[in-house]
Amino acid sequence: YPVDLYAKIGKTTIKAVGTAADPLTLAGPDFRLSVEGADMADLFPIFRIPLPETPAYAISGHLVKPEDTWRFEDFKGKMGDSDLSGTLAYTPREQRPYIEANIVSERLDFADLAGFVGADPEADKKKPANREQRAKPGRVLPDTPVDLARLRAADMDVRFRGKRIRYPALPIDSLDMHVKLQDGRLTLEPLQFGIAKGSATGSLVLDGRKEVPRVATDLTLRKLDLKQFFDGKDAAVTAGEFAGKIKLAGSGKSVAQILGNADGHVVATMAGGRFSRLFVELSGIDVAEAIPLFGSDKPVEIRCVVADFEAKNG
């Protein structure tokens, strides 16, 4: 039977055109499906897919249902300023549905992923007054509570890759992560960033099986180019590669609470290289006192740097 379906649920619009063996039960579907809306989080009550807050999106692809699994194949679309493409499989089950997906973004705006840590993905596009209404005074880290109901609503196995990333705050080039969600326990492993011509690799675990979630992260930094963290003249006189380790764990109902009581270590090392005078100033050395030592315009040559920070109860 031919099917031409249009539905609007809140700010979400769903269109499906194709055929079905039984249009009343949607058995044997073969549709061209389009979904668009203001926020992917709105899809949770419709499809039971637990997604974070996102910017406005529009995606379309081929929807079929061989046997018991719905497959949304070869979909393409936009989310905020990022493109998305891939395949998603949805299998209904008695306790929790099972979702498998392979998603790729050729050009990813990192701000569009802010909802994954409880921040507002549209914050940069809002007027200052609107941003102030959403943010609490003195807060740097997002204090939006982790949604445990959504975390426990489905099991997932998702591969997500961002091939090229736009993020002015940090020189992040790419992102590759394997996301597994099982019975409320979310694991990102491997989690890999291409950053500053080097890499940050490791894992992150969010255990939402208890009422107060616990997060543990273990990242290794390799061959990060110091110059990439500076702009203009200071980049020209800054050089060297550094490496390190970030290992933190904490509990809480939001990112702010989790980091507010975190324990762990952050270690960084660098052999060779040079720093600009600005870096020396930011390090707490008085530049007026430093000039006689290092020269007025010459960069500071570095033989070795070791930084070892301990985090204890935040």
Side-chain angles (χ1 to χ4, degrees), residues 168-278:
L170 282 175
I172 297 178
D173 308 312
S174 61
L175 167 64
D176 190 345
M177 62 182 179
H178 188 183
V179 182
K180 286 189 176 182
L181 178 59
Q182 178 70 40
D183 194 20
R185 186 176 187 269
L186 179 70
T187 303
L188 278 64
E189 186 177 12
L191 171 62
Q192 179 168 332
F193 293 95
I195 178 170
K197 297 184 178 180
S199 66
T201 60
S203 64
L204 185 147
V205 178
L206 168 58
D207 193 340
R209 293 174 293 185
K210 296 182 179 180
E211 288 308 305
V212 179
R214 182 168 179 79
V215 172
T217 184
D218 189 344
L219 291 175
T220 299
L221 311 178
R222 293 185 178 91
K223 295 185 176 181
L224 272 62
D225 183 4
L226 185 65
K227 184 186 296 187
Q228 302 299 312
F229 293 87
F230 294 86
D231 293 323
K233 181 181 177 183
D234 294 297
V237 295
T238 304
E241 287 183 350
F242 68 95
K245 187 85 170 174
I246 301 172
K247 195 168 186 177
L248 296 170
S251 300
K253 295 188 176 181
S254 67
V255 170
Q257 284 188 13
I258 290 165
L259 291 179
N261 63 53
D263 297 320
H265 267 92
V266 178
V267 180
T269 63
M270 187 175 85
R274 60 182 183 269
F275 291 158
S276 72
R277 290 175 57 217
L278 174 62

Side-chain angles (χ1 to χ4, degrees), residues 36-117:
E36 60 181 89
D39 186 346
M40 283 191 180
D42 295 340
L43 295 175
F44 178 67
I46 304 172
F47 298 117
R48 306 300 294 174
I49 300 177
L51 294 168
E53 289 187 18
T54 72
Y57 68 94
I59 56 175
S60 61
H62 185 206
L63 181 68
V64 294
K65 189 189 177 200
E67 299 181 351
D68 296 328
T69 298
W70 292 85
R71 295 188 60 83
F72 190 33
E73 299 177 334
D74 300 324
F75 67 77
K76 292 184 179 180
K78 294 268 292 182
M79 177 186 71
D81 294 323
S82 306
D83 66 88
L84 296 175
S85 63
T87 298
L88 183 145
Y90 181 97
T91 305
R93 296 190 307 190
E94 188 172 336
Q95 285 189 318
R96 293 178 301 275
Y98 178 65
I99 300 159
E100 272 188 291
N102 192 335
I103 303 170
V104 176
S105 176
E106 297 289 339
R107 292 179 60 86
L108 175 66
D109 191 319
F110 207 72
D112 293 336
L113 301 181
F116 282 87
V117 293

